[in-house]
């Protein structure tokens, strides 16, 4: 029996091409896939081996998706939708004779990766405290990331979203990638945005390019590494010869 619970759907989805240009059937399939995804680690058997599905991943079949979607959805509808969603980088999938592993690439941007039940109550206080803390922070904090427990970046902050944005690409390249400490990652992105004065869209473009590059995707596995190599990566990102590595990411951008 499917575990009960809920998912979050941001209204900004209504303005995204993946929604605006989808058929009614594809929209039904999109929401169904989000509902089917695991919200926590879950062990499965995959390719005759023990496999731990991460949040946002699940093993299913075309028939199972059709059944979950309900009346009016065919197997061909599902096949077409999966290929389209893969093009938009909303998901990836891998098929075998015994099942289909689906990974929702932008799961962390739609859903909480941590149990933050009290965030809604403390949001107003935390936002004010975070603003004050940022004003008092100087370059010496670069060496004190592990001691920044007093900082609490909300899931809708630019820093936290950049952290999940990078991790989603890393997990797309390696489904078994270990989930990082998103607060520490957010602090590094704070340095990139506030101290280095980088533009958010520029940072996203650099992340996207390096995670599609055959060399850099193996080396940029944290915001700290990203920051150290940022100038070099920016030059390569803006090189017209490398533009073919940049694909549409409208489905993963949620800022």
């Amino acid at each position: 029996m499917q575990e009960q619970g809920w998912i979050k759907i941001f209204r900004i989805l209504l303005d995204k091409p993946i929604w605006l240009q989808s058929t009614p059937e594809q929209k039904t399939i999109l929401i169904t896939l989000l509902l089917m995804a695991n919200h926590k680690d879950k062990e499965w058997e995959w390719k005759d081996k023990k496999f731990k599905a991460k949040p946002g991943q699940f093993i299913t079949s075309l028939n199972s998706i059709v059944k979950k979607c309900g009346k009016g959805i065919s197997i061909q509808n599902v096949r077409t939708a999966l290929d389209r969603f893969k093009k938009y980088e909303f998901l990836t999938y891998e098929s075998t004779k015994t099942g289909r592993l689906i990974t929702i690439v932008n799961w962390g941007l739609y859903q909480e990766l941590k149990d933050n039940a009290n965030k809604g109550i403390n949001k107003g206080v935390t936002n004010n405290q975070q603003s004050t803390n940022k004003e008092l922070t100087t370059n010496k904090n670069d060496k004190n990331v592990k001691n920044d427990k007093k900082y609490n970046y909300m899931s809708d902050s630019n820093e936290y979203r950049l952290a999940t944005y990078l991790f989603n690409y890393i997990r797309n390249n390696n489904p078994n990638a270990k989930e990082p400490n998103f607060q520490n990652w957010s602090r590094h992105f704070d340095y990139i945005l506030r101290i280095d004065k980088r533009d958010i869209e520029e940072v996203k473009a650099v992340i996207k390019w390096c995670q599609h590059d055959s060399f850099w995707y193996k080396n940029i596995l944290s915001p700290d590494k990203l920051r150290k190599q940022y100038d070099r990566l920016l030059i390569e990102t803006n090189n017209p010869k490398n533009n073919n590595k940049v694909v549409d990411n409208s489905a993963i951008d949620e800022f």
Side-chain angles (χ1 to χ4, degrees):
M1 181 177 178
Q2 186 76 14
E3 187 174 351
Q4 299 300 308
W6 52 272
I7 61 171
K8 296 197 304 184
I9 301 177
F10 289 91
R11 291 189 180 93
I12 196 172
L13 177 63
L14 295 174
D15 300 321
K16 296 295 182 180
I18 195 173
W19 183 266
L20 293 173
Q21 298 174 19
S22 288
T23 65
E25 292 80 10
Q26 289 169 351
K27 292 175 181 178
T28 298
I29 295 167
L30 186 150
I31 299 301
T32 301
L33 293 173
L34 288 174
L35 290 168
M36 292 177 70
N38 295 314
H39 72 279
K40 59 183 179 180
D41 290 354
K42 188 173 183 179
E43 291 188 354
W44 297 80
E45 181 177 319
W46 175 246
K47 296 182 178 179
D48 298 322
K49 295 181 180 179
K50 183 178 179 181
F51 174 79
K52 181 177 288 187
K54 299 292 184 180
Q57 291 184 314
F58 59 107
I59 297 173
T60 186
S61 66
L62 295 178
N63 285 328
S64 294
I65 298 173
V66 169
K67 184 177 179 180
K68 292 291 184 182
C69 287
K71 185 177 179 180
I73 304 299
S74 67
I75 288 181
Q76 185 57 49
N77 289 150
V78 174
R79 283 201 182 99
T80 301
L82 289 176
D83 289 340
R84 184 169 185 274
F85 297 158
K86 184 176 182 180
K87 175 183 175 183
Y88 274 96
E89 295 187 339
F90 176 79
L91 56 76
T92 63
Y93 64 80
E94 181 181 355
S95 302
T96 69
K97 294 180 180 180
T98 58
R100 184 177 298 247
L101 172 64
I102 294 178
T103 301
I104 306 297
V105 176
N106 54 351
W107 180 260
L109 296 175
Y110 284 105
Q111 314 300 325
E112 294 286 354
L113 295 179
K114 302 288 186 181
D115 183 9
N116 295 315
N118 295 323
K119 278 188 175 180
I121 299 174
N122 298 326
K123 185 173 182 179
V125 176
T126 304
N127 282 344
N128 292 334
Q129 180 181 3
Q130 179 179 325
S131 177
T132 302
N133 287 339
K134 285 183 179 180
E135 293 174 1
L136 297 176
T137 304
T138 60
N139 289 10
K140 66 181 180 181
N141 292 120
D142 285 358
K143 299 179 181 179
N144 295 321
V145 175
K146 293 183 180 180
N147 297 324
D148 284 336
K149 295 181 180 179
K150 63 181 178 180
Y151 295 101
N152 184 14
Y153 290 89
M154 305 300 292
S155 61
D156 59 353
S157 68
N158 288 331
E159 296 84 359
Y160 195 99
R161 287 178 181 268
L162 283 172
T164 56
Y165 187 74
L166 173 59
F167 178 63
N168 286 332
Y169 272 115
I170 292 173
R171 188 173 62 181
N172 186 46
N173 290 323
N174 176 19
N176 292 318
K178 183 179 179 180
E179 182 179 308
N181 183 319
F182 283 96
Q183 290 299 319
N184 284 346
W185 275 33
S186 297
R187 176 118 297 273
H188 279 292
F189 277 112
D190 178 27
Y191 302 152
I192 292 173
L193 296 177
R194 180 174 51 83
I195 297 175
D196 300 342
K197 300 187 184 304
R198 305 293 187 180
D199 178 76
I200 294 176
E201 294 302 321
E202 178 187 271
V203 175
K204 289 165 59 181
V206 171
I207 291 173
K208 182 178 178 180
W209 182 87
C210 75
Q211 291 302 307
H212 282 87
D213 182 80
S214 60
F215 172 78
W216 287 111
Y217 90 91
K218 302 174 185 177
N219 293 277
I220 305 300
L221 299 176
S222 71
D224 181 45
K225 293 289 182 64
L226 177 75
R227 190 184 183 202
K228 290 178 180 178
Q229 298 291 340
Y230 193 91
D231 288 331
R232 181 177 175 183
L233 292 170
L234 182 60
I235 291 174
E236 296 199 40
T237 300
N238 292 329
N239 187 341
K241 295 181 180 180
N242 296 328
N243 285 344
N244 63 329
K245 293 178 181 176
V246 179
V247 295
D248 178 48
N249 68 341
S250 56
I252 200 171
D253 288 340
E254 294 294 338
F255 283 83

